[in-house]
Amino acid sequence: MQPVYFLPKENFPAFLEALKGLGRVYAPVKVSKQSYSFKAVEKASEIAFEALRTILPPKKFFYPPSETLISYDDGRILEYQEVPEFKVIFGVHPCDLAGLGIMDTIFEDGPADSHYVRRRRMSMLVGLSCMPDKHCFCQSMGTDCPEKGYDIFLTDIEDGYFLQSQSTMGSAFLDGSGMNGILERAREAHKDRYKEFWIRRKDAFSIGFAPDNLRATMDMEWDNPVWDELGNRCLSCGNCTPVCPTCYCFDLVDVASLSGDSGERRREWDSCQFTGFAQVAGDFNFRPGPVDRLKFWYRHKLHGFDDAYGFKTCVGCGRCTVSCPSGIDDIVAVVNILQNSKKAEGKSDAT
Ligand code: SF4
Ligand code: SF4
């Protein structure tokens, strides 16, 4: 078992300085009255420790909204490979760690996406505990406890943080001489407070659903009238997908010079909620209406990857709910309606 440590809160600035010695540190920063964003920080006072969900999840560091894949010039094609700088991403909550774990699996599944993998290998993830608000349902999706995906994880135990490491890099950092005088070995009292925190957090969730019959529910409730109501109100704005820690669909865009001699091929985030996403030659659209696209998205998030990977691609962060201008993308409310309908009652995915 890896050693566990205690970081008194008054030592956090020194801890941050040590992290900065590894590379540029990014952390949640308050950017408006109610929004937070991961940004580069220099001082501890810039970090919004209270932030629950940032506007965009940390996937943006490894899979940016827009990037050049290849360029061409005078008949030559050049693969564009950025040389990434080392980044420390601080303040990643359990749902976002789970989201990055899902992105790692998808992007590293052969053939690996070299652009993503290169950036990911040049990073350290420092997780941070949180308390759920009225939109969090990571408990229902089984992503509420940080089991993997971090290098170091900090649990807030009031006057300090309980520190765990999970990777060779994280352990080397915590065990290194640079931490002398900053960290203490965790004592029994710290361990007790750590356990109390996670019990208190478990009891703090106010919303959720039973996750064991999502496939059966979606199959049996495919024609439930709630879908038409949601489809009628959906604006097809696509807000719900860029904010999702596990949405990764993209479009390829060629940007040519006016002469046509040079240009580049770019990868841009796309959204399955856009009208043209499933449009093909002959003007045929596999998912022509908002209701078709919404149902597709729910199925993808709630059980679409069960067979291929054995996990669900919703981590319960609540970003889609808070980002929907129509107030309809409330997964918990929709699943509750579907599960409480007569057809889904008492069914499980195993039966
Ligand atoms: S579907 Fe919504 S709640 Fe689930 S991970 Fe994506 S943004 Fe978060
Ligand atoms: S954010 Fe809401 S309105 Fe926009 S596409 Fe998603 S469900 Fe529809």
Side-chain angles (χ1 to χ4, degrees):
M1 190 187 151
Q2 302 289 351
V4 284
Y5 293 94
F6 176 68
L7 169 66
K9 284 194 175 165
E10 65 266 25
N11 288 356
F12 184 83
F15 180 75
L16 178 62
E17 283 307 310
L19 288 177
K20 283 166 59 183
L22 300 174
R24 196 179 293 267
V25 178
Y26 295 81
V29 168
K30 191 161 189 159
V31 291
S32 76
K33 199 172 167 194
Q34 55 189 18
S35 341
Y36 300 91
S37 181
F38 278 103
K39 288 189 173 296
V41 293
E42 289 294 326
K43 300 191 296 270
S45 58
E46 295 170 51
I47 300 176
F49 288 90
E50 77 283 10
L52 257 190
R53 55 183 77 75
T54 48
I55 301 168
L56 289 180
K59 72 177 179 184
K60 69 176 184 178
F61 292 110
F62 313 114
Y63 173 53
S66 175
E67 65 180 311
T68 301
L69 299 181
I70 57 167
S71 60
Y72 57 91
D73 188 13
D74 204 17
R76 286 178 309 135
I77 296 177
L78 308 164
E79 188 184 0
Y80 182 81
Q81 282 287 8
E82 170 197 331
V83 181
E85 60 160 12
F86 193 89
K87 292 182 176 70
V88 178
I89 318 294
F90 174 86
V92 186
H93 294 317
C95 60
D96 279 344
L97 287 172
L100 283 173
I102 291 168
M103 294 291 274
D104 287 352
T105 304
I106 291 165
F107 278 86
E108 290 176 13
D109 199 10
D113 184 295
S114 59
H115 296 259
Y116 177 92
V117 170
R118 191 168 296 187
R119 294 189 190 103
R120 190 70 181 80
R121 295 214 169 120
M122 287 290 283
S123 70
M124 175 188 260
L125 296 181
V126 184
L128 180 64
S129 64
C130 48
M131 273 291 167
D133 72 0
K134 61 181 181 181
H135 299 298
C136 294
F137 62 101
C138 55
Q139 193 175 47
S140 297
M141 303 315 295
T143 57
D144 51 324
C145 292
E147 283 166 6
K148 54 183 182 176
Y150 61 83
D151 294 292
I152 299 170
F153 194 89
L154 280 67
T155 298
D156 189 337
I157 54 171
E158 290 160 26
D159 58 340
Y161 298 99
F162 186 91
L163 269 64
Q164 297 160 281
S165 62
Q166 204 189 41
S167 68
T168 309
M169 179 167 50
S171 302
F173 179 75
L174 295 186
D175 299 340
S177 57
M179 287 296 108
N180 287 345
I182 299 175
L183 301 182
E184 306 165 13
R185 281 293 176 110
R187 298 189 301 274
E188 286 310 308
H190 300 135
K191 293 177 187 173
D192 288 344
R193 291 202 334 254
Y194 167 84
K195 286 184 248 170
E196 280 161 20
F197 172 88
W198 288 99
I199 290 169
R200 204 158 26 93
R201 184 176 186 274
K202 185 168 169 282
D203 295 337
F205 286 88
S206 57
I207 59 168
F209 48 77
D212 56 349
N213 72 344
L214 296 175
R215 184 202 294 259
T217 299
M218 287 295 292
D219 285 351
M220 276 181 288
E221 299 301 324
W222 199 245
D223 297 320
N224 190 301
V226 74
W227 293 117
D228 292 323
E229 192 209 315
L230 298 175
N232 287 339
R233 288 169 55 198
C234 176
L235 306 170
S236 300
C237 66
N239 261 14
C240 43
T241 55
V243 301
C244 179
T246 67
C247 275
Y248 54 82
C249 286
F250 60 83
D251 197 3
L252 289 174
V253 182
D254 287 333
V255 184
S257 67
L258 281 178
S259 67
D261 292 342
S262 62
E264 57 185 38
R265 175 161 290 180
R266 302 188 64 77
R267 168 158 74 180
E268 315 261 354
W269 286 1
D270 202 350
S271 172
C272 61
Q273 298 308 298
F274 289 157
T275 310
F277 185 83
Q279 198 161 19
V280 293
D283 207 23
F284 183 78
N285 198 325
F286 289 97
R287 293 186 284 276
V291 65
D292 308 310
R293 297 189 285 274
L294 267 180
K295 284 204 267 193
F296 168 81
W297 188 73
Y298 268 77
R299 185 167 61 182
H300 177 68
K301 292 291 158 191
L302 295 178
H303 71 83
F305 275 19
D306 282 1
D307 293 337
Y309 292 108
F311 54 67
K312 303 190 187 302
T313 56
C314 173
V315 295
C317 70
R319 281 189 181 89
C320 55
T321 307
V322 301
S323 306
C324 177
S326 274
I328 58 171
D329 210 349
D330 186 337
I331 292 187
V332 175
V334 174
V335 171
N336 279 322
I337 290 169
L338 300 178
Q339 285 185 330
N340 289 330
S341 95
K342 287 284 170 232
K343 279 181 278 177
E345 223 170 61
K347 295 284 187 301
S348 105
D349 283 350
T351 56

Short mmCIF file of all heavy atoms in Angstrom, two decimals, residues 230-231 233-243 271-274 290 293-294 297-298 319-321 323-330, ligand 2:
data_model
loop_
_atom_site.label_atom_id
_atom_site.label_comp_id
_atom_site.label_asym_id
_atom_site.label_seq_id
_atom_site.Cartn_x
_atom_site.Cartn_y
_atom_site.Cartn_z
N LEU A 230 -39.87 16.27 -24.78
CA LEU A 230 -38.49 16.77 -24.75
C LEU A 230 -38.06 17.22 -26.15
O LEU A 230 -37.43 18.27 -26.32
CB LEU A 230 -37.53 15.70 -24.23
CG LEU A 230 -37.76 15.20 -22.80
CD1 LEU A 230 -36.80 14.06 -22.48
CD2 LEU A 230 -37.55 16.34 -21.81
N GLY A 231 -38.40 16.40 -27.16
CA GLY A 231 -38.02 16.73 -28.53
C GLY A 231 -38.63 18.04 -28.99
O GLY A 231 -37.98 18.83 -29.69
N ARG A 233 -39.20 20.58 -27.22
CA ARG A 233 -38.57 21.72 -26.55
C ARG A 233 -37.07 21.85 -26.83
O ARG A 233 -36.45 22.87 -26.55
CB ARG A 233 -38.79 21.62 -25.04
CG ARG A 233 -40.25 21.92 -24.67
CD ARG A 233 -40.53 21.57 -23.21
NE ARG A 233 -39.62 22.23 -22.29
CZ ARG A 233 -39.42 21.84 -21.03
NH1 ARG A 233 -40.05 20.80 -20.56
NH2 ARG A 233 -38.58 22.49 -20.26
N CYS A 234 -36.47 20.77 -27.40
CA CYS A 234 -35.02 20.81 -27.66
C CYS A 234 -34.73 21.76 -28.82
O CYS A 234 -35.39 21.73 -29.85
CB CYS A 234 -34.52 19.41 -28.00
SG CYS A 234 -32.78 19.38 -28.46
N LEU A 235 -33.71 22.61 -28.63
CA LEU A 235 -33.34 23.62 -29.64
C LEU A 235 -32.27 23.10 -30.59
O LEU A 235 -31.83 23.84 -31.48
CB LEU A 235 -32.82 24.88 -28.94
CG LEU A 235 -33.74 25.49 -27.87
CD1 LEU A 235 -33.00 26.58 -27.10
CD2 LEU A 235 -34.97 26.07 -28.55
N SER A 236 -31.81 21.88 -30.39
CA SER A 236 -30.68 21.33 -31.18
C SER A 236 -29.47 22.25 -31.14
O SER A 236 -28.72 22.35 -32.12
CB SER A 236 -31.10 21.09 -32.64
OG SER A 236 -32.17 20.17 -32.68
N CYS A 237 -29.29 22.92 -30.01
CA CYS A 237 -28.17 23.87 -29.89
C CYS A 237 -26.84 23.15 -29.70
O CYS A 237 -25.78 23.72 -29.93
CB CYS A 237 -28.41 24.83 -28.73
SG CYS A 237 -28.40 24.01 -27.12
N GLY A 238 -26.90 21.91 -29.20
CA GLY A 238 -25.67 21.15 -28.98
C GLY A 238 -24.92 21.52 -27.72
O GLY A 238 -23.81 21.04 -27.51
N ASN A 239 -25.48 22.34 -26.85
CA ASN A 239 -24.78 22.73 -25.62
C ASN A 239 -24.42 21.53 -24.75
O ASN A 239 -23.43 21.55 -24.03
CB ASN A 239 -25.68 23.64 -24.77
CG ASN A 239 -25.34 25.09 -24.94
OD1 ASN A 239 -24.62 25.45 -25.86
ND2 ASN A 239 -25.87 25.93 -24.06
N CYS A 240 -25.26 20.50 -24.79
CA CYS A 240 -25.09 19.39 -23.84
C CYS A 240 -23.88 18.51 -24.18
O CYS A 240 -23.44 17.75 -23.31
CB CYS A 240 -26.36 18.54 -23.79
SG CYS A 240 -27.10 18.23 -25.39
N THR A 241 -23.33 18.59 -25.36
CA THR A 241 -22.24 17.67 -25.70
C THR A 241 -20.83 18.21 -25.43
O THR A 241 -20.02 17.47 -24.87
CB THR A 241 -22.36 17.18 -27.15
OG1 THR A 241 -22.42 18.30 -28.02
CG2 THR A 241 -23.62 16.35 -27.34
N PRO A 242 -20.49 19.47 -25.77
CA PRO A 242 -19.12 19.88 -25.45
C PRO A 242 -18.84 19.89 -23.95
O PRO A 242 -17.70 19.68 -23.53
CB PRO A 242 -19.01 21.31 -26.03
CG PRO A 242 -20.41 21.76 -26.22
CD PRO A 242 -21.22 20.53 -26.47
N VAL A 243 -19.88 20.11 -23.15
CA VAL A 243 -19.67 20.17 -21.70
C VAL A 243 -19.54 18.78 -21.08
O VAL A 243 -19.17 18.64 -19.92
CB VAL A 243 -20.81 20.94 -20.99
CG1 VAL A 243 -20.91 22.37 -21.51
CG2 VAL A 243 -22.15 20.23 -21.12
N SER A 271 -21.28 17.79 -32.60
CA SER A 271 -22.32 17.38 -31.65
C SER A 271 -23.37 16.54 -32.36
O SER A 271 -23.89 16.93 -33.41
CB SER A 271 -23.00 18.62 -31.04
OG SER A 271 -24.12 18.22 -30.27
N CYS A 272 -23.71 15.41 -31.74
CA CYS A 272 -24.76 14.55 -32.29
C CYS A 272 -26.13 15.21 -32.19
O CYS A 272 -27.11 14.68 -32.72
CB CYS A 272 -24.77 13.19 -31.57
SG CYS A 272 -25.10 13.34 -29.81
N GLN A 273 -26.20 16.35 -31.51
CA GLN A 273 -27.49 17.07 -31.39
C GLN A 273 -27.69 18.08 -32.53
O GLN A 273 -28.75 18.68 -32.65
CB GLN A 273 -27.59 17.77 -30.03
CG GLN A 273 -27.55 16.81 -28.85
CD GLN A 273 -28.56 15.69 -28.98
OE1 GLN A 273 -29.76 15.93 -29.01
NE2 GLN A 273 -28.07 14.45 -29.08
N PHE A 274 -26.66 18.28 -33.34
CA PHE A 274 -26.81 19.18 -34.49
C PHE A 274 -27.62 18.49 -35.59
O PHE A 274 -27.45 17.27 -35.83
CB PHE A 274 -25.45 19.59 -35.06
CG PHE A 274 -24.66 20.53 -34.17
CD1 PHE A 274 -23.28 20.60 -34.28
CD2 PHE A 274 -25.29 21.35 -33.24
CE1 PHE A 274 -22.54 21.46 -33.47
CE2 PHE A 274 -24.57 22.21 -32.42
CZ PHE A 274 -23.19 22.26 -32.54
N PRO A 290 -35.21 16.48 -33.48
CA PRO A 290 -34.57 16.59 -32.16
C PRO A 290 -34.86 15.38 -31.28
O PRO A 290 -33.99 14.91 -30.53
CB PRO A 290 -35.19 17.85 -31.57
CG PRO A 290 -35.64 18.64 -32.73
CD PRO A 290 -36.02 17.66 -33.80
N ARG A 293 -32.51 12.56 -32.07
CA ARG A 293 -31.14 12.82 -31.62
C ARG A 293 -31.04 12.71 -30.10
O ARG A 293 -30.05 12.18 -29.58
CB ARG A 293 -30.68 14.19 -32.13
CG ARG A 293 -30.62 14.26 -33.64
CD ARG A 293 -29.97 15.53 -34.14
NE ARG A 293 -30.81 16.70 -34.04
CZ ARG A 293 -31.71 17.07 -34.96
NH1 ARG A 293 -31.86 16.35 -36.06
NH2 ARG A 293 -32.42 18.17 -34.80
N LEU A 294 -32.06 13.20 -29.41
CA LEU A 294 -32.03 13.11 -27.95
C LEU A 294 -32.06 11.65 -27.47
O LEU A 294 -31.32 11.27 -26.58
CB LEU A 294 -33.26 13.82 -27.36
CG LEU A 294 -33.10 15.29 -26.98
CD1 LEU A 294 -34.41 15.81 -26.41
CD2 LEU A 294 -31.98 15.47 -25.96
N TRP A 297 -28.75 10.04 -27.98
CA TRP A 297 -27.76 10.51 -27.00
C TRP A 297 -27.97 9.84 -25.64
O TRP A 297 -27.02 9.38 -25.00
CB TRP A 297 -27.86 12.03 -26.88
CG TRP A 297 -26.79 12.65 -26.07
CD1 TRP A 297 -25.49 12.82 -26.41
CD2 TRP A 297 -26.93 13.21 -24.76
NE1 TRP A 297 -24.81 13.46 -25.41
CE2 TRP A 297 -25.67 13.72 -24.37
CE3 TRP A 297 -27.99 13.36 -23.88
CZ2 TRP A 297 -25.44 14.34 -23.16
CZ3 TRP A 297 -27.76 13.99 -22.66
CH2 TRP A 297 -26.50 14.46 -22.30
N TYR A 298 -29.21 9.76 -25.19
CA TYR A 298 -29.51 9.11 -23.91
C TYR A 298 -29.08 7.65 -23.94
O TYR A 298 -28.50 7.14 -22.99
CB TYR A 298 -31.01 9.21 -23.59
CG TYR A 298 -31.38 10.42 -22.76
CD1 TYR A 298 -31.45 11.68 -23.33
CD2 TYR A 298 -31.65 10.30 -21.41
CE1 TYR A 298 -31.79 12.79 -22.57
CE2 TYR A 298 -31.99 11.40 -20.64
CZ TYR A 298 -32.07 12.64 -21.22
OH TYR A 298 -32.39 13.74 -20.47
N ARG A 319 -23.39 18.46 -15.82
CA ARG A 319 -23.11 19.61 -16.70
C ARG A 319 -24.19 19.80 -17.77
O ARG A 319 -24.56 20.91 -18.09
CB ARG A 319 -21.75 19.46 -17.37
CG ARG A 319 -20.57 19.80 -16.48
CD ARG A 319 -19.29 19.83 -17.30
NE ARG A 319 -18.12 20.13 -16.51
CZ ARG A 319 -17.38 19.22 -15.88
NH1 ARG A 319 -17.69 17.94 -15.95
NH2 ARG A 319 -16.31 19.58 -15.19
N CYS A 320 -24.67 18.68 -18.35
CA CYS A 320 -25.66 18.83 -19.43
C CYS A 320 -26.94 19.45 -18.87
O CYS A 320 -27.58 20.26 -19.55
CB CYS A 320 -25.94 17.50 -20.11
SG CYS A 320 -26.43 16.18 -18.99
N THR A 321 -27.29 19.12 -17.65
CA THR A 321 -28.49 19.67 -17.05
C THR A 321 -28.36 21.18 -16.86
O THR A 321 -29.26 21.94 -17.24
CB THR A 321 -28.76 19.01 -15.68
OG1 THR A 321 -28.76 17.60 -15.85
CG2 THR A 321 -30.08 19.45 -15.09
N SER A 323 -26.41 23.20 -18.37
CA SER A 323 -26.06 23.95 -19.59
C SER A 323 -27.20 24.01 -20.60
O SER A 323 -27.07 24.68 -21.62
CB SER A 323 -24.87 23.28 -20.30
OG SER A 323 -23.80 23.13 -19.43
N CYS A 324 -28.29 23.31 -20.36
CA CYS A 324 -29.36 23.25 -21.36
C CYS A 324 -30.24 24.50 -21.29
O CYS A 324 -30.87 24.75 -20.26
CB CYS A 324 -30.21 22.01 -21.12
SG CYS A 324 -31.61 21.90 -22.25
N PRO A 325 -30.29 25.30 -22.35
CA PRO A 325 -31.09 26.53 -22.30
C PRO A 325 -32.59 26.26 -22.25
O PRO A 325 -33.36 27.14 -21.89
CB PRO A 325 -30.71 27.26 -23.60
CG PRO A 325 -30.21 26.21 -24.51
CD PRO A 325 -29.61 25.14 -23.65
N SER A 326 -33.00 25.02 -22.59
CA SER A 326 -34.43 24.70 -22.55
C SER A 326 -34.83 24.04 -21.24
O SER A 326 -36.01 23.73 -21.05
CB SER A 326 -34.78 23.74 -23.69
OG SER A 326 -35.06 24.46 -24.85
N GLY A 327 -33.86 23.80 -20.38
CA GLY A 327 -34.17 23.19 -19.09
C GLY A 327 -34.72 21.77 -19.20
O GLY A 327 -35.49 21.34 -18.34
N ILE A 328 -34.33 21.06 -20.26
CA ILE A 328 -34.91 19.72 -20.43
C ILE A 328 -33.89 18.60 -20.27
O ILE A 328 -34.29 17.45 -20.12
CB ILE A 328 -35.54 19.56 -21.84
CG1 ILE A 328 -34.50 19.82 -22.93
CG2 ILE A 328 -36.75 20.43 -21.99
CD1 ILE A 328 -35.00 19.48 -24.31
N ASP A 329 -32.59 18.95 -20.29
CA ASP A 329 -31.62 17.86 -20.32
C ASP A 329 -31.28 17.41 -18.90
O ASP A 329 -30.15 17.47 -18.46
CB ASP A 329 -30.37 18.29 -21.08
CG ASP A 329 -29.73 17.09 -21.74
OD1 ASP A 329 -30.14 15.97 -21.42
OD2 ASP A 329 -28.85 17.28 -22.58
N ASP A 330 -32.32 16.97 -18.21
CA ASP A 330 -32.15 16.54 -16.83
C ASP A 330 -32.24 15.01 -16.82
O ASP A 330 -33.33 14.43 -16.76
CB ASP A 330 -33.26 17.18 -15.98
CG ASP A 330 -33.07 16.88 -14.51
OD1 ASP A 330 -32.41 15.88 -14.19
OD2 ASP A 330 -33.61 17.65 -13.69
S1 SF4 B 2 -28.61 21.53 -24.53
FE1 SF4 B 2 -30.82 21.12 -24.35
S2 SF4 B 2 -31.76 22.28 -26.04
FE2 SF4 B 2 -29.55 22.13 -26.52
S3 SF4 B 2 -29.36 20.26 -27.80
FE3 SF4 B 2 -29.00 19.61 -25.65
S4 SF4 B 2 -31.06 18.96 -24.93
FE4 SF4 B 2 -31.39 20.19 -26.81
#
